[in-house]
Structures are given as C-alpha cells and as structure tokens.
C-alpha cells in the first residue's frame, strides 16, 4: 500500500510541477519507474518505445466515465489495442489533438483498437463541454486525482500525453507531447499488427529507429 501511494505521489508531482505547461520536456533524461515498467528517455525524448519482450502489464486502470459516471475499467477492452490519451479542457494543444485522435480512431477501430481518454486535474463541467464541443466519439475517464495515470506505470510529465497499450494492455509506445494523425496511426497499426503469444517479436518497434530503441531499454 505504501508503495502504491509513493507511485501516485510521484505521478502527481511530475504533472503538478509543470502547472499548466503543455507538451514540454525538461531537456534532461526522463526516467519513470514503478513495480512493473521503467521508461528511460535520453536527452528528453518525447516519443518512447517499449520492446514487446520487455513490456509489463499496466495496473488497475479504472475511473468514472466523464459523461455517465459509470465506472470504466481497462479490463473491459480484453484483447484490444487501447490508445489512452491524457487531456484537460485547460490544455490548448488538446483541442487540435482531439481532431487527430478522432481521425486515427476512425481509421483503426475496425482492427481491434479502442481509444480511451483520461481527463486530468480538470473542472468536470468544463471537461464535459470541451469533450462534447470537440465531437469525440470514444469514451473518457474523469480522473482529477491521477490514480489511473499512476496505474499505467508510464511517465506523464505533461498534458497531453498519449500511451498505446498492446493487446495484453502493456505500454508499447508513449508520446509525451501532442500527436499528429500520421504518427499515431503508424504507431497504432504497428502495435495492432504485432504477433501475440510467448514468441511474439518486436519487429514493428524495431523499425521505429535505433535512437528510440536505445532510449527505451530498461536499466538492469
């Protein structure tokens, strides 16, 4: 229990320290670690890859639905690639990013892919208006305190952040910045097309570039 509290505190501190800054990096090595995953980002990289052979499952990601208050649980999306986007109504880049996210969702949803928002540190009424105004067709959690972010086990140092989870709900790709439709679509298709099972290969992520690969290896 104490360990989970420390993880949550670290996740909240990372975002709180930025105030309302969005899509920014520190310029230093970005490192986040919990019981399962460690992401290392040399030189403040904003796009991180996690090789399939090293991935660990996310924790208990659940929170109320922003619009209905019914609980959304990551386990509902068994065997699906899940694209998790952290956003807020006060985040200026999120407005344009919703267009990119929605376009990618429409392109990939028939391939066993679902999208899920996490509204963080936000006024619920403002968030509902923002979500509706941007005509977002997928669901979003309302997570003011950030418990679901801590459960993801990835670095969330800015809003927006987008995490692509593979079909076993393990973080595969992390964008610590606003995404574009082109780059997110490619990342989602790479993960969706990965082989599954004990002999799965890391081919799609290996093609993302040697610099990203070297940045995503865990320290041993």
């Amino acid at each position: 229990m104490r360990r989970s509290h420390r993880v949550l505190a670290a996740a909240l501190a990372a975002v709180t320290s930025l105030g309302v800054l969005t899509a920014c990096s520190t310029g230093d090595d970005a490192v986040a670690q919990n019981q399962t995953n460690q992401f290392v980002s040399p030189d403040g990289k904003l796009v991180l890859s996690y090789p399939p052979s090293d991935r660990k499952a996310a924790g208990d990601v659940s929170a109320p639905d922003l619009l209905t208050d019914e609980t959304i649980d990551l386990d509902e999306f068994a065997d699906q690639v899940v694209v998790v986007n952290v956003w807020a109504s006060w985040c200026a880049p999120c407005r344009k990013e919703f267009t990119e996210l929605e376009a990618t969702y429409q392109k990939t949803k028939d391939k066993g892919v679902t999208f899920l928002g996490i509204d963080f540190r936000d006024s619920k009424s403002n968030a509902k208006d923002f979500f509706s105004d941007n005509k977002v067709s997928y669901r979003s959690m309302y997570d003011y305190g950030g418990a679901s972010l801590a459960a993801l086990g990835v670095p969330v140092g800015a809003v927006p952040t987008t995490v692509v989870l593979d079909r076993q709900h393990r973080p595969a790709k992390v964008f610590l910045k606003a995404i574009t439709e082109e780059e997110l679509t490619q990342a989602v298709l790479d993960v969706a097309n990965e082989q599954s099972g004990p002999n799965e290969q890391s081919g799609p992520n290996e093609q993302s570039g040697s610099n990203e690969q070297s940045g995503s290896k865990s320290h041993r």
Side-chain angles (χ1 to χ4, degrees):
M1 182 66 69
R2 291 180 179 176
R3 176 62 174 169
S4 62
H5 286 170
R6 287 198 298 269
V7 173
L8 176 56
L12 296 181
V15 181
T16 304
S17 65
L18 291 173
V20 297
L21 295 178
T22 57
C24 62
S25 65
T26 63
D28 299 320
D29 288 3
V31 180
Q33 183 177 9
N34 71 351
Q35 294 114 316
T36 55
N37 295 305
Q38 182 182 44
F39 288 79
V40 182
S41 179
D43 303 320
K45 286 185 180 297
L46 299 180
V47 180
L48 314 178
S49 294
Y50 209 53
S53 59
D54 293 340
R55 293 176 195 162
K56 304 296 181 183
D60 181 15
V61 180
S62 63
D65 186 300
L66 172 66
L67 301 181
T68 68
D69 288 328
E70 296 179 359
T71 298
I72 301 175
D73 195 303
L74 184 61
D75 290 342
E76 296 175 27
F77 311 109
D79 300 321
Q80 296 186 54
V81 172
V82 182
V83 179
V84 181
N85 175 253
V86 183
W87 65 279
S89 63
W90 45 259
C91 164
C94 293
R95 187 173 299 278
K96 178 180 185 300
E97 188 181 51
F98 269 139
T99 302
E100 311 290 314
L101 289 160
E102 182 66 27
T104 303
Y105 174 56
Q106 295 301 328
K107 284 182 178 180
T108 61
K109 64 181 181 178
D110 293 334
K111 301 182 183 299
V113 176
T114 193
F115 276 49
L116 180 64
I118 297 180
D119 180 35
F120 175 70
R121 283 293 175 94
D122 207 356
S123 158
K124 194 169 189 178
S125 59
N126 290 346
K128 285 183 175 180
D129 291 342
F130 190 81
F131 204 64
S132 299
D133 290 346
N134 283 279
K135 298 179 173 59
V136 183
S137 63
Y138 52 86
R139 299 160 74 192
S140 181
M141 295 176 171
Y142 179 69
D143 184 17
Y144 185 91
S148 59
L149 303 187
L152 281 174
V154 299
V156 181
V159 178
T161 287
T162 300
V163 182
V164 182
L165 304 177
D166 66 16
R167 297 190 190 281
Q168 289 75 49
H169 297 166
R170 305 172 303 178
K173 196 91 169 182
V174 182
F175 296 89
L176 300 170
K177 66 183 187 70
I179 52 85
T180 65
E181 176 186 346
E182 181 179 3
E183 68 181 337
L184 182 59
T185 298
Q186 186 61 58
V188 171
L189 291 176
D190 282 350
V191 175
N193 291 330
E194 287 177 351
Q195 297 180 3
S196 60
N199 296 320
E200 67 183 349
Q201 298 175 357
S202 57
N205 277 329
E206 288 176 352
Q207 296 173 6
S208 64
S210 58
N211 288 338
E212 281 190 7
Q213 275 190 336
S214 62
S216 61
K217 293 180 180 177
S218 299
H219 284 186
R220 302 190 186 278

